[in-house]
Amino acid sequence: MVLVPGDKLPSWVFADLRTDHAGEVGAVCIYQGVLKFARDPVLRAFAEHHLATEQKHLRLISGWLPPAHYSRLLPLWRLAGCLTGALPALFGPKAVYATIEAVETFVNHHYEEQILVLARQIELSNLRQTLLDCQADEVAHRDEAAAAARGFSQPGWVLRAWCAMVGAGSKAAVALIRHI
């Protein structure tokens, strides 16, 4: 039997779905943070479009994960997401695009790991398809950010360090969220 959102899932799936849910909560907050400070109309349109997609992802993942299994640290992930969007927005489009590219590069790999595991679980093929659909959107976001960033000079060491910190922070957050 192939499972659908709302069905009882095997317990081993909850840790991964908790990371996906918290990540989508954070992603929504990233774009909200960008929109609080960005004034560039092109950047605002980029953020508004991506915010709508991340809100859709959050609804999809929420359909699979019972609220009892949400991360208990969601307020922290909301704050981290808001800061991850707001801080680069204070420095302009180049910083935002570089940040989004860094975040989405991590998210692509994170989803890919789960998709590979789910490939062997026929009963979870609908969940796998949900993650594949979300991953495709995230890759499109990464590629759109990278294309937009090409219009700017190469990032300096501060922006490169920030993006490395964003990637490392995302990895550390996933490790923590799996348990809390």
Side-chain angles (χ1 to χ4, degrees), residues 2-77:
V2 176
L3 301 175
V4 296
D7 285 348
K8 184 167 172 43
L9 296 171
S11 60
W12 62 267
V13 175
F14 292 137
D16 282 336
L17 281 176
R18 184 172 29 260
T19 67
D20 299 336
H21 178 266
E24 296 300 345
V25 166
V28 165
C29 292
I30 286 172
Y31 290 109
Q32 289 171 337
V34 169
L35 289 168
K36 280 194 186 303
F37 294 101
R39 297 294 168 248
D40 178 90
V42 173
L43 178 58
R44 289 188 63 80
F46 170 93
E48 288 167 353
H49 173 71
H50 289 204
L51 173 60
T53 305
E54 300 301 350
Q55 289 169 326
K56 178 186 84 173
H57 292 176
L58 182 55
R59 284 190 302 276
L60 289 170
I61 299 299
S62 294
W64 285 102
L65 184 66
H69 292 280
Y70 290 1
S71 172
R72 293 187 306 273
L73 299 175
L74 283 179
L76 178 61
W77 309 136

Side-chain angles (χ1 to χ4, degrees), residues 5-163:
D7 285 348
K8 184 167 172 43
L9 296 171
S11 60
W12 62 267
V13 175
F14 292 137
D16 282 336
L17 281 176
R18 184 172 29 260
T19 67
D20 299 336
H21 178 266
E24 296 300 345
V25 166
V28 165
C29 292
I30 286 172
Y31 290 109
Q32 289 171 337
V34 169
L35 289 168
K36 280 194 186 303
F37 294 101
R39 297 294 168 248
D40 178 90
V42 173
L43 178 58
R44 289 188 63 80
F46 170 93
E48 288 167 353
H49 173 71
H50 289 204
L51 173 60
T53 305
E54 300 301 350
Q55 289 169 326
K56 178 186 84 173
H57 292 176
L58 182 55
R59 284 190 302 276
L60 289 170
I61 299 299
S62 294
W64 285 102
L65 184 66
H69 292 280
Y70 290 1
S71 172
R72 293 187 306 273
L73 299 175
L74 283 179
L76 178 61
W77 309 136
R78 285 185 183 98
L79 176 62
C82 187
L83 290 172
T84 302
L87 292 175
L90 292 171
F91 292 93
K94 176 180 171 179
V96 172
Y97 295 136
T99 300
I100 297 305
E101 185 178 4
V103 168
E104 299 298 18
T105 296
F106 172 82
V107 172
N108 174 45
H109 295 300
H110 178 66
Y111 274 137
E112 185 64 24
E113 291 170 356
Q114 294 173 56
I115 289 164
L116 290 173
V117 170
L118 291 173
R120 300 185 297 272
Q121 308 293 325
I122 300 306
E123 71 279 7
L124 295 172
S125 60
N126 287 334
L127 174 57
R128 182 176 183 269
Q129 188 59 53
T130 297
L131 297 182
L132 281 165
D133 294 344
C134 290
Q135 180 190 36
D137 290 338
E138 306 296 5
V139 167
H141 290 183
R142 180 201 64 202
D143 294 348
E144 188 178 340
R150 284 190 207 108
F152 297 94
S153 61
Q154 289 290 83
W157 71 269
V158 172
L159 185 53
R160 288 193 314 270
W162 165 256
C163 290

